[in-house]
Amino acid sequence: MKVGVLTGGGDCPGLNAVIRSVVRKGVQEYAFDFVGLRDGWLGALQGKVVPLGIPNVRGILPRGGTILGSSRTNPFKHEDGLQRVQDTLSEYDVDALVVIGGEDTLGVAAELSRQGINLVGVPKTIDNDVPGTDYTFGFDTAVGIATEAIDRLHTTAESHMRALVVEVMGRHSGWIALHAGIAGGANAILIPERPFDIDQVCDYVKSRFKINYAPIVVVAEGAVPQEGQMRVKDETLDEFGHVRLSGIGEWLAREITERTGSDARTTVLGHVQRGGTPSAFDRWLATRFGLHAIEAVKDGDFGTMVALRGTQIVRLPLADVTAETKKVDPSLYDEFEVFFG
Amino acid sequence: MKVGVLTGGGDCPGLNAVIRSVVRKGVQEYAFDFVGLRDGWLGALQGKVVPLGIPNVRGILPRGGTILGSSRTNPFKHEDGLQRVQDTLSEYDVDALVVIGGEDTLGVAAELSRQGINLVGVPKTIDNDVPGTDYTFGFDTAVGIATEAIDRLHTTAESHMRALVVEVMGRHSGWIALHAGIAGGANAILIPERPFDIDQVCDYVKSRFKINYAPIVVVAEGAVPQEGQMRVKDETLDEFGHVRLSGIGEWLAREITERTGSDARTTVLGHVQRGGTPSAFDRWLATRFGLHAIEAVKDGDFGTMVALRGTQIVRLPLADVTAETKKVDPSLYDEFEVFFG
Amino acid sequence: MKVGVLTGGGDCPGLNAVIRSVVRKGVQEYAFDFVGLRDGWLGALQGKVVPLGIPNVRGILPRGGTILGSSRTNPFKHEDGLQRVQDTLSEYDVDALVVIGGEDTLGVAAELSRQGINLVGVPKTIDNDVPGTDYTFGFDTAVGIATEAIDRLHTTAESHMRALVVEVMGRHSGWIALHAGIAGGANAILIPERPFDIDQVCDYVKSRFKINYAPIVVVAEGAVPQEGQMRVKDETLDEFGHVRLSGIGEWLAREITERTGSDARTTVLGHVQRGGTPSAFDRWLATRFGLHAIEAVKDGDFGTMVALRGTQIVRLPLADVTAETKKVDPSLYDEFEVFFG
Amino acid sequence: MKVGVLTGGGDCPGLNAVIRSVVRKGVQEYAFDFVGLRDGWLGALQGKVVPLGIPNVRGILPRGGTILGSSRTNPFKHEDGLQRVQDTLSEYDVDALVVIGGEDTLGVAAELSRQGINLVGVPKTIDNDVPGTDYTFGFDTAVGIATEAIDRLHTTAESHMRALVVEVMGRHSGWIALHAGIAGGANAILIPERPFDIDQVCDYVKSRFKINYAPIVVVAEGAVPQEGQMRVKDETLDEFGHVRLSGIGEWLAREITERTGSDARTTVLGHVQRGGTPSAFDRWLATRFGLHAIEAVKDGDFGTMVALRGTQIVRLPLADVTAETKKVDPSLYDEFEVFFG
């Protein structure tokens, strides 16, 4: 049997750990052959196929990123995309695919599976918002990096008695903001799932100053204020003269400064949250996902995705899991209300 | 309502995070009063009781150890222990206890609960071997520290083409060894649950050298070789002239050196695995345990212990969970066989 | 003798380590009394004076920030500033000051010294640009944090074959950019001391892509392109309708994207570089600075500043050192030319 | 010109950074050819010579260990060692060597230089005890790891009110112990340069307990008590029936326990101090050493060693620097007396 492996979407700590365990188990236990498809679905479209054996995966467990490259290419956005993917697979005698990716990549996988291509999915996202699995690898690393940054910012905030806003990743879900905010002892945590009241945020800030502590506000990049709270003057012109909104972190710092009279500053953590060596938790999870994915291939259990449930790895129908983003549950968010302000 | 809090057994990153969230929620949401019992059950025996309010728990979230101190004292090993505990609680008008500890501490708690004392347990152990909960806080931090050490040791092993043995915590269970070994890319992982065959370990070591890589062997301190494999000469005399066995790590390095002809060395990670700031995961888990424990107190749901199941915090009867140690499941261990050698 | 201690300017890892060693040695060896002046020169102006003894400095060695608070207040910008400072010192019977701060704070100190106030300076700046000393504490910590961020960004850049720009601190000098850029293996390092040629930067970027590696460009926030290279369209309107330039990192990413045709992104490290626990090097240096500063006080050697020369701590006249910023030497910068591109 | 590179002695973070900068500058700026000699002087003896070009050094800057391997082989301990080294160099047309190593490796280099072999030395030692240079690379990394371990151990010590002994590297010099001990806030620091008084150490321990803090004792592996203080019972029998002394850390913990009545424990940090990614400081220093070493080769300035003096890299005659070990200066040690006890 010949198995193709590809990684799609944004890079994420743990991708290499999955590739390694897929190949190690596939070769050593089932005597499968492997090829890598370069740069996600782009490699499938363009026939960019590379050899993939045990020597290629030695030493990659602790390395961030992906040795196979990645892209956001969607074959279904190309007229003859499906055909070209099928051509690549048959040209290289690929019997089955292990597809490692997030919502978009797995959505393509689900559709290809319906079209008869044998494949197994492995969920990947920094943001932890793939439904059906308790956690995705990469998330723990991102939360750890963000928490360490918040730890550091506390001392700056205290020394200058200044409010600090930390913008973390999370366009559609607030998982990183919530976990890192709780772990970092934030005084307000703003997530996309719940439009925030800027007046309440300012009240939190003021109540913190009142007891002589400096507030830290953690905000997911996709968080938004309640309707009507973002005014026209918040929009600036970009370099082409178009109106644009500044990032939510910058907006917040400006509002807090104006409304409370205390100078607030913003730090946007950005890409550092997604790069570098995976945490031990993510290496463990990614390794197990890989082992179970290749087992699913061997079982011929195609059209499925591996997922974490408690301490078990299970298989779910791909079709079920790609429908929507996993949001932060309101009751979970409310658990932590006591720490705000 | 007046609630006492105590921490027992070995220290563990996350203890302070539990204390903080118990007090924050208890005071702010339920208007409870709190006292701390110093040094675990010792404080209950000796009446060492200290005030515990929100100012005491400010800033302790990222700090390792426990602001309440700890000990391994067991009140039931004192003739009038139960009476003295009851006296302390009534002297200070303590209506209920939050007891944070491992097997021993929770065993005492279960017995005291049977004797009519109102209490809720919070499981704590670096070793992750409390049954009924997916994970305990402190474990992720310990695994992270051990994994980072293994990462570092790889480069030394490779530079000198030398086998390195890493002894990690785990007297009765191999959770830390298994997780850190897999995350660190170990070539053999030896755990108490499965007596190892020293010949096989040496085979793993030799097969690794054969492909020009240097082997790393991770061993839990409680791992033992199969019957008959540890010979008399392995016993040395201690300073009082008594026979003692050297640590298993040292024994392994010596055996590997003698049997394979390649010089092997040992590193014993020791106490560094249990100290210092908790990982983000452990701060999250410890915080949630604290929130749910004080909610159980408020509900009058005594004799219970909080536990993690998937992403949910549940309550279990204390009596159920303290009976035995949670071992590494053989099928989980076997999942990783492909990485050995 | 009664000694006042104050910390001024931006916070910096190691401030607490200085305070601790000043107080420990002053009390234990010379039986001095101490007070703290809160929030830099503001405390001297407003009489915000707090007790400072050994119990206050216990456990602060590893903590970032400053227990005395800080500000950028300049007493000479207040009409009766000098008088008010003198009044505060005489009201609290302060015989001498230990002044820990950067260029501005030490400039005030030099002037106060000329006016007859007994004081000793300790240089402090993340940016390493105080003349007369090989290094200042805080710098090594900042470089370490920036280097770790660059390490992480490499894997993201490689996975997506994308140029990444990292903007680090350094408004007037390029020390952090140069050290972190070299330690992080950057492909271009842009510093304020040398206006850069955007065409050359783009050549570096392209040459890197040509060998199938993804470029990392490290830029100090104060770096600027050569004259004429920044065009009008780079200016956007801020929220008050004023023209402003976006940060240099953002500008670079946009230019690289437009000029090379490859998508570039920016990460601005910001405040995380100045907070949190100091590195071992900074704790060592800050501790020694404190010990030598209080010795200078005891010797009555006022109007001086402690400084690092090789492995020795020396004393310099404050007047000499506050005149100008220490720049990156062109020959040092050129040493590393071989790594660019 | 053809240049050979070798790394000898124990591995050390930064070796790869030196190799990389030597090769990058040698190839790009001077068009030199390079070969690597495997495993230190062993490769020179046995003709184990490998190609070394820019592709070999890509990506190795952040990696610990050495891509060339290392050994403690001394060619002068082989009858025809010198001849065999000369044969290897002439067989591969090697015109000059860059020799990266510690005392032993550089001692061999000095002798080979006297015998007419063209070479330049680069000092390397975790222990920082090469004379003539302010610091060696690897040292800062080791101190950082040890300091982080001490930080972690503080919380365990406090939680259990227990004395903890930390044994760090340093057989002949106390540099790591002194730097990490000061950075970690140790209450006693014991170094080989100054035999310690066990009674005084116990006094330090007791005085710490008296103010309700738990003491940390940092001891270099080569530290010894004053004459007559180590009694016969401290010697145990090893597995071959020979008398051996246990490590100094273990000995100390036992003595402290017996003499003070408080239970003390030991952690031996061991190999983790020398492996893994170099700190930013060490990457900077190692990179500069490499650049200056290859410049010395190009200048034909053989028989020299590069060294750090303040912020400058200088060249010294190899003969001068290999004579003796650099010890901790008594006056430096005494600077810190105020922190003991």
Side-chain angles (χ1 to χ4, degrees), chain B residues 9-11 64-66 69-70 141 145 149 152-153 155-156 159-160 162 233 236-239 254 265 267-269 271-272 274-277, chain D residues 9-11 64-66 69-70 141 145 149 152-153 155-156 159-160 162 233 236-239 250 254 265 267-269 271-272 274-277:
Chain B
D11 72 308
T66 162
S70 189
T141 304
I145 294 170
R152 292 197 173 275
L153 292 170
T155 63
T156 294
S159 298
H160 296 280
R162 191 151 64 194
K233 68 156 194 152
T236 59
L237 300 187
D238 71 11
E239 69 271 31
R254 203 176 58 212
R265 302 281 175 86
T267 297
V268 181
L269 294 187
H271 285 291
V272 290
R274 70 179 327 128
T277 193
Chain D
D11 73 308
T66 162
S70 189
T141 305
I145 294 169
R152 291 197 173 277
L153 292 170
T155 62
T156 294
S159 297
H160 295 280
R162 190 151 65 193
K233 67 154 196 152
T236 59
L237 301 187
D238 72 10
E239 68 272 32
E250 232 178 274
R254 203 177 56 213
R265 302 282 175 86
T267 296
V268 181
L269 293 187
H271 284 290
V272 291
R274 72 179 325 128
T277 195

Coordinates of all heavy atoms in Angstrom, one line a residue, chain B residues 9-11 64-66 69-70 141 145 149 152-153 155-156 159-160 162 233 236-239 254 265 267-269 271-272 274-277, chain D residues 9-11 64-66 69-70 141 145 149 152-153 155-156 159-160 162 233 236-239 250 254 265 267-269 271-272 274-277:
Chain B
G9 N 0.8 16.3 51.5 CA 1.7 15.5 50.6 C 2.8 16.4 50.0 O 3.0 17.5 50.3
G10 N 3.4 15.8 49.0 CA 4.5 16.5 48.3 C 4.0 17.7 47.6 O 2.9 17.8 47.1
D11 N 4.9 18.7 47.4 CA 4.4 19.9 46.8 C 4.3 19.7 45.3 O 4.8 18.7 44.7 CB 5.3 21.1 47.0 CG 6.6 21.0 46.3 OD1 7.3 19.9 46.4 OD2 7.0 21.9 45.6
G64 N 4.8 28.3 42.2 CA 4.9 26.9 42.6 C 4.7 26.8 44.1 O 4.6 27.8 44.8
G65 N 4.7 25.5 44.6 CA 4.6 25.3 46.0 C 3.2 25.6 46.5 O 2.2 25.7 45.8
T66 N 3.1 25.8 47.8 CA 1.9 26.1 48.5 C 2.1 27.1 49.6 O 2.9 27.0 50.5 CB 1.2 24.9 49.1 OG1 0.2 25.3 50.0 CG2 2.2 23.9 49.7
G69 N 1.9 25.7 53.2 CA 2.8 24.7 53.6 C 2.2 23.3 53.5 O 1.0 23.1 53.2
S70 N 3.0 22.3 53.6 CA 2.5 20.9 53.5 C 3.3 20.0 54.4 O 4.3 20.3 54.9 CB 2.7 20.5 52.0 OG 2.0 19.3 51.8
T141 N 3.2 20.0 34.1 CA 4.4 20.8 34.4 C 5.6 19.8 34.5 O 6.7 20.1 33.9 CB 4.3 21.6 35.7 OG1 3.2 22.4 35.6 CG2 5.5 22.4 35.9
I145 N 9.0 19.7 32.1 CA 10.3 19.9 32.5 C 11.2 18.7 32.1 O 12.3 18.8 31.6 CB 10.4 20.0 34.1 CG1 9.7 21.4 34.5 CG2 11.8 20.0 34.6 CD1 9.4 21.5 35.9
A149 N 14.4 18.5 29.5 CA 15.7 17.9 29.8 C 16.1 16.8 28.8 O 17.3 16.8 28.4 CB 15.6 17.3 31.2
R152 N 17.5 18.4 25.7 CA 18.9 18.8 25.9 C 19.8 17.6 25.9 O 20.9 17.7 25.3 CB 19.0 19.5 27.3 CG 18.3 20.9 27.3 CD 18.8 21.8 28.4 NE 18.2 23.1 28.3 CZ 18.7 24.1 27.6 NH1 19.8 23.9 26.9 NH2 18.0 25.2 27.5
L153 N 19.4 16.5 26.5 CA 20.3 15.4 26.6 C 20.6 14.7 25.2 O 21.6 14.2 25.0 CB 19.8 14.3 27.6 CG 19.8 14.8 29.0 CD1 19.0 13.9 29.9 CD2 21.2 15.0 29.5
T155 N 21.4 16.2 22.5 CA 22.5 16.7 21.8 C 23.8 16.2 22.4 O 24.8 16.0 21.7 CB 22.5 18.3 21.8 OG1 22.6 18.7 23.1 CG2 21.2 18.8 21.1
T156 N 23.8 16.0 23.7 CA 25.0 15.5 24.4 C 25.2 14.0 23.9 O 26.3 13.6 23.6 CB 24.8 15.5 25.9 OG1 24.8 16.9 26.3 CG2 26.0 14.8 26.6
S159 N 26.6 14.0 20.3 CA 27.9 14.5 20.2 C 29.0 13.5 20.6 O 30.1 13.4 20.1 CB 28.1 15.8 21.0 OG 27.2 16.8 20.5
H160 N 28.6 12.7 21.6 CA 29.6 11.7 22.1 C 29.2 10.3 21.8 O 29.9 9.3 22.2 CB 29.7 11.8 23.7 CG 30.2 13.1 24.1 ND1 31.5 13.4 24.1 CD2 29.6 14.3 24.5 CE1 31.7 14.6 24.5 NE2 30.6 15.2 24.8
R162 N 26.9 8.3 22.8 CA 26.8 7.7 24.1 C 25.4 7.5 24.5 O 24.5 8.3 24.2 CB 27.5 8.6 25.1 CG 27.7 8.0 26.5 CD 28.9 8.6 27.1 NE 28.7 10.0 27.5 CZ 29.6 10.9 27.8 NH1 30.9 10.5 27.8 NH2 29.4 12.1 28.1
K233 N 25.5 -8.3 43.0 CA 26.6 -7.3 42.9 C 26.0 -5.9 42.7 O 26.7 -4.9 42.9 CB 27.6 -7.6 41.8 CG 27.1 -7.5 40.4 CD 28.2 -7.2 39.5 CE 27.6 -6.7 38.2 NZ 28.4 -5.9 37.4
T236 N 25.0 -2.3 47.1 CA 26.1 -1.8 47.8 C 25.8 -1.5 49.2 O 24.6 -1.6 49.6 CB 26.6 -0.5 47.1 OG1 25.5 0.4 47.2 CG2 27.0 -0.7 45.7
L237 N 26.8 -1.2 50.0 CA 26.5 -0.9 51.4 C 26.3 0.6 51.6 O 27.0 1.4 51.0 CB 27.7 -1.4 52.2 CG 28.0 -2.9 52.1 CD1 29.1 -3.3 53.1 CD2 26.8 -3.8 52.3
D238 N 25.3 0.9 52.3 CA 25.1 2.3 52.6 C 26.0 2.7 53.8 O 26.8 1.9 54.3 CB 23.7 2.7 52.8 CG 23.1 2.2 54.1 OD1 23.9 1.7 55.0 OD2 21.9 2.2 54.3
E239 N 25.9 4.0 54.3 CA 26.8 4.5 55.2 C 26.7 3.8 56.6 O 27.6 3.9 57.4 CB 26.7 6.0 55.4 CG 25.4 6.5 56.0 CD 24.3 6.7 55.0 OE1 24.3 6.0 54.0 OE2 23.5 7.6 55.2
R254 N 25.0 1.2 34.3 CA 26.1 0.2 34.5 C 25.9 -1.0 33.7 O 26.8 -1.5 33.0 CB 26.2 -0.1 36.0 CG 27.5 -0.6 36.4 CD 27.6 -0.8 37.9 NE 26.6 -1.8 38.2 CZ 25.9 -1.8 39.4 NH1 26.2 -0.8 40.3 NH2 25.0 -2.7 39.6
R265 N 25.6 6.8 30.6 CA 25.6 7.6 31.8 C 24.1 7.9 32.2 O 23.2 7.8 31.4 CB 26.2 9.0 31.4 CG 27.6 9.0 31.0 CD 28.6 8.8 32.1 NE 29.9 8.6 31.6 CZ 30.8 9.6 31.3 NH1 30.4 10.9 31.5 NH2 32.0 9.4 30.8
T267 N 21.3 10.5 34.2 CA 20.9 11.8 34.9 C 19.6 11.5 35.6 O 18.6 11.0 35.1 CB 20.6 12.9 33.8 OG1 21.8 13.1 33.1 CG2 20.1 14.2 34.4
V268 N 19.6 11.9 36.9 CA 18.4 11.8 37.8 C 17.8 13.1 37.9 O 18.4 14.0 38.5 CB 18.8 11.2 39.1 CG1 17.5 11.0 40.0 CG2 19.5 9.9 39.0
L269 N 16.6 13.3 37.3 CA 16.0 14.7 37.3 C 15.6 15.2 38.7 O 15.8 16.4 39.0 CB 14.9 14.8 36.3 CG 15.3 14.6 34.9 CD1 14.1 14.9 34.0 CD2 16.4 15.5 34.5
H271 N 14.0 16.6 42.2 CA 13.1 17.5 42.6 C 12.7 18.6 41.6 O 11.7 19.3 41.8 CB 13.6 18.2 43.9 CG 13.5 17.3 45.1 ND1 12.3 17.0 45.7 CD2 14.4 16.7 45.8 CE1 12.5 16.2 46.7 NE2 13.8 16.0 46.8
V272 N 13.6 18.9 40.7 CA 13.2 20.0 39.8 C 11.9 19.7 39.0 O 11.3 20.7 38.5 CB 14.4 20.3 38.7 CG1 15.6 20.9 39.4 CG2 14.7 19.1 37.9
R274 N 9.2 18.9 40.3 CA 8.0 19.2 41.1 C 7.9 20.7 41.5 O 6.9 21.1 42.2 CB 7.8 18.3 42.3 CG 8.8 18.4 43.4 CD 8.5 17.4 44.5 NE 7.1 17.2 44.6 CZ 6.5 16.0 44.6 NH1 7.2 14.9 44.5 NH2 5.2 15.8 44.7
G275 N 8.9 21.5 41.2 CA 8.9 22.8 41.7 C 8.6 23.9 40.6 O 8.4 23.5 39.5
G276 N 8.5 25.1 41.0 CA 8.4 26.2 40.1 C 7.1 26.5 39.6 O 6.1 25.8 39.9
T277 N 7.0 27.4 38.6 CA 5.7 27.9 38.1 C 5.0 26.8 37.3 O 5.6 26.1 36.6 CB 6.0 29.1 37.2 OG1 4.7 29.8 37.0 CG2 6.6 28.8 35.9
Chain D
G9 N 36.7 17.4 23.4 CA 36.3 17.4 24.8 C 34.8 17.3 24.9 O 34.1 16.9 24.0
G10 N 34.3 17.6 26.1 CA 32.9 17.5 26.4 C 32.1 18.4 25.5 O 32.5 19.5 25.1
D11 N 30.8 18.0 25.2 CA 30.0 18.9 24.3 C 29.6 20.1 25.1 O 29.6 20.1 26.3 CB 28.8 18.1 23.7 CG 27.8 17.8 24.8 OD1 28.2 17.3 25.8 OD2 26.6 18.2 24.5
G64 N 22.3 22.5 19.9 CA 23.4 22.1 20.9 C 24.3 21.0 20.3 O 24.1 20.6 19.2
G65 N 25.2 20.6 21.1 CA 26.2 19.6 20.6 C 27.0 20.0 19.5 O 27.2 21.2 19.2
T66 N 27.6 19.1 18.7 CA 28.5 19.4 17.6 C 28.2 18.5 16.4 O 28.2 17.2 16.6 CB 30.0 19.3 18.0 OG1 30.8 19.2 16.8 CG2 30.3 18.1 18.9
G69 N 30.9 15.8 15.9 CA 31.3 14.8 17.0 C 32.4 15.2 17.8 O 33.1 16.2 17.5
S70 N 32.6 14.5 18.9 CA 33.7 14.9 19.8 C 34.3 13.7 20.5 O 33.7 12.6 20.5 CB 33.2 15.9 20.9 OG 34.3 16.5 21.6
T141 N 24.8 29.4 29.1 CA 23.7 28.4 28.9 C 23.6 27.6 30.2 O 22.5 27.4 30.8 CB 23.9 27.6 27.7 OG1 24.0 28.4 26.6 CG2 22.7 26.6 27.5
I145 N 20.5 27.3 32.9 CA 19.7 26.1 33.2 C 19.8 25.8 34.7 O 18.8 25.5 35.4 CB 20.3 24.9 32.4 CG1 20.1 25.1 30.9 CG2 19.8 23.6 32.9 CD1 20.9 24.1 30.1
A149 N 16.7 25.8 37.5 CA 16.5 24.7 38.4 C 16.4 25.2 39.8 O 15.5 24.8 40.6 CB 17.6 23.7 38.2
R152 N 13.1 26.7 40.6 CA 12.1 25.7 40.8 C 12.2 25.1 42.2 O 11.2 24.9 42.9 CB 12.2 24.6 39.8 CG 11.8 25.1 38.4 CD 11.4 24.0 37.4 NE 10.9 24.5 36.2 CZ 9.6 24.8 36.0 NH1 8.7 24.6 37.0 NH2 9.2 25.3 34.9
L153 N 13.5 24.9 42.6 CA 13.7 24.2 43.9 C 13.3 25.0 45.1 O 12.9 24.5 46.2 CB 15.1 23.7 44.0 CG 15.5 22.6 43.0 CD1 17.0 22.4 43.0 CD2 14.8 21.3 43.4
T155 N 10.6 26.7 45.6 CA 9.2 26.5 46.0 C 9.0 25.2 46.7 O 8.2 25.1 47.6 CB 8.2 26.6 44.8 OG1 8.5 25.6 43.9 CG2 8.3 28.0 44.1
T156 N 9.8 24.2 46.3 CA 9.7 22.9 47.0 C 10.3 23.1 48.4 O 9.7 22.6 49.4 CB 10.5 21.8 46.2 OG1 9.8 21.6 45.0 CG2 10.5 20.5 47.0
S159 N 7.8 25.0 50.6 CA 6.6 24.3 50.9 C 6.8 23.2 52.0 O 5.9 23.0 52.8 CB 6.0 23.6 49.6 OG 5.7 24.5 48.7
H160 N 8.0 22.7 52.0 CA 8.2 21.6 53.0 C 9.2 22.1 54.1 O 9.6 21.2 55.0 CB 8.8 20.4 52.3 CG 7.8 19.7 51.4 ND1 6.9 18.9 51.8 CD2 7.7 19.8 50.0 CE1 6.1 18.5 50.7 NE2 6.6 19.1 49.7
R162 N 12.4 22.6 54.1 CA 13.4 21.6 54.0 C 14.6 22.3 53.3 O 14.5 23.0 52.4 CB 12.9 20.5 53.1 CG 13.7 19.3 53.2 CD 12.9 18.0 52.9 NE 12.3 18.0 51.6 CZ 11.3 17.1 51.3 NH1 10.9 16.3 52.1 NH2 10.9 17.2 50.1
K233 N 33.1 7.2 57.8 CA 31.8 6.6 57.5 C 31.2 7.2 56.2 O 30.2 6.8 55.7 CB 30.8 6.8 58.7 CG 30.4 8.3 58.9 CD 29.1 8.4 59.6 CE 28.6 9.8 59.5 NZ 27.2 10.0 59.5
T236 N 31.6 4.7 51.2 CA 30.8 3.4 51.0 C 31.5 2.5 50.1 O 32.5 2.9 49.4 CB 29.4 3.8 50.5 OG1 29.6 4.4 49.2 CG2 28.6 4.7 51.4
L237 N 31.1 1.3 50.0 CA 31.7 0.4 49.1 C 31.0 0.4 47.8 O 29.8 0.4 47.7 CB 31.6 -1.0 49.7 CG 32.3 -1.2 51.1 CD1 32.3 -2.6 51.5 CD2 33.7 -0.6 51.0
D238 N 31.7 0.4 46.7 CA 31.1 0.4 45.4 C 30.8 -1.0 45.0 O 31.0 -2.0 45.8 CB 31.9 1.2 44.3 CG 33.1 0.4 43.9 OD1 33.3 -0.7 44.3 OD2 33.9 1.0 43.2
E239 N 30.3 -1.3 43.8 CA 29.8 -2.6 43.5 C 31.0 -3.6 43.3 O 30.7 -4.8 43.3 CB 29.0 -2.6 42.2 CG 29.8 -2.2 40.9 CD 29.8 -0.7 40.7 OE1 29.9 0.0 41.7 OE2 29.9 -0.3 39.5
E250 N 25.4 14.7 47.9 CA 24.8 13.7 48.8 C 25.4 13.7 50.2 O 24.7 13.6 51.2 CB 25.0 12.3 48.2 CG 23.8 11.5 48.0 CD 24.1 10.1 47.3 OE1 24.2 10.1 46.1 OE2 24.4 9.2 48.1
R254 N 23.4 14.7 53.8 CA 23.4 13.8 54.9 C 24.0 14.5 56.2 O 23.5 14.4 57.3 CB 24.3 12.6 54.6 CG 23.9 11.4 55.5 CD 24.7 10.2 55.1 NE 26.1 10.5 55.1 CZ 27.1 10.0 54.3 NH1 26.7 9.1 53.4 NH2 28.3 10.3 54.5
R265 N 17.7 17.4 51.3 CA 17.8 16.5 50.1 C 18.7 17.1 49.1 O 19.0 18.3 49.1 CB 16.4 16.4 49.5 CG 15.3 15.9 50.4 CD 15.3 14.4 50.5 NE 14.4 13.9 51.5 CZ 13.1 13.7 51.3 NH1 12.6 13.8 50.0 NH2 12.3 13.3 52.2
T267 N 19.7 17.5 44.8 CA 19.5 17.3 43.4 C 20.8 17.5 42.6 O 21.5 18.5 42.9 CB 18.5 18.3 42.9 OG1 17.2 18.1 43.5 CG2 18.3 18.2 41.4
V268 N 21.2 16.5 41.8 CA 22.4 16.6 41.0 C 22.0 17.0 39.6 O 21.4 16.2 38.9 CB 23.2 15.3 41.0 CG1 24.5 15.4 40.2 CG2 23.5 14.8 42.5
L269 N 22.3 18.2 39.1 CA 21.8 18.6 37.8 C 22.4 17.8 36.7 O 21.7 17.5 35.7 CB 22.0 20.1 37.7 CG 21.2 20.9 38.6 CD1 21.3 22.4 38.3 CD2 19.7 20.5 38.6
H271 N 24.1 16.2 33.4 CA 24.3 16.5 32.0 C 23.4 17.5 31.4 O 23.7 18.1 30.3 CB 24.1 15.2 31.1 CG 25.3 14.3 31.3 ND1 26.5 14.6 30.7 CD2 25.5 13.1 31.9 CE1 27.4 13.6 31.0 NE2 26.8 12.7 31.7
V272 N 22.2 17.7 32.0 CA 21.3 18.7 31.4 C 21.9 20.1 31.3 O 21.5 20.9 30.5 CB 19.9 18.8 32.1 CG1 19.1 17.6 31.9 CG2 20.1 19.1 33.6
R274 N 24.7 20.8 30.1 CA 25.6 21.0 28.9 C 25.0 20.7 27.6 O 25.6 20.9 26.6 CB 26.9 20.1 29.1 CG 26.7 18.6 29.0 CD 28.0 17.9 29.1 NE 29.1 18.7 28.6 CZ 30.3 19.0 29.3 NH1 30.4 18.6 30.5 NH2 31.2 19.8 28.8
G275 N 23.7 20.4 27.6 CA 23.1 20.0 26.3 C 22.1 21.1 25.8 O 21.8 22.1 26.5
G276 N 21.6 20.9 24.7 CA 20.5 21.7 24.2 C 20.9 23.0 23.6 O 22.1 23.3 23.4
T277 N 19.9 23.8 23.2 CA 20.1 25.0 22.5 C 20.9 26.1 23.3 O 20.6 26.2 24.5 CB 18.8 25.6 22.0 OG1 19.0 26.6 21.0 CG2 18.0 26.2 23.1

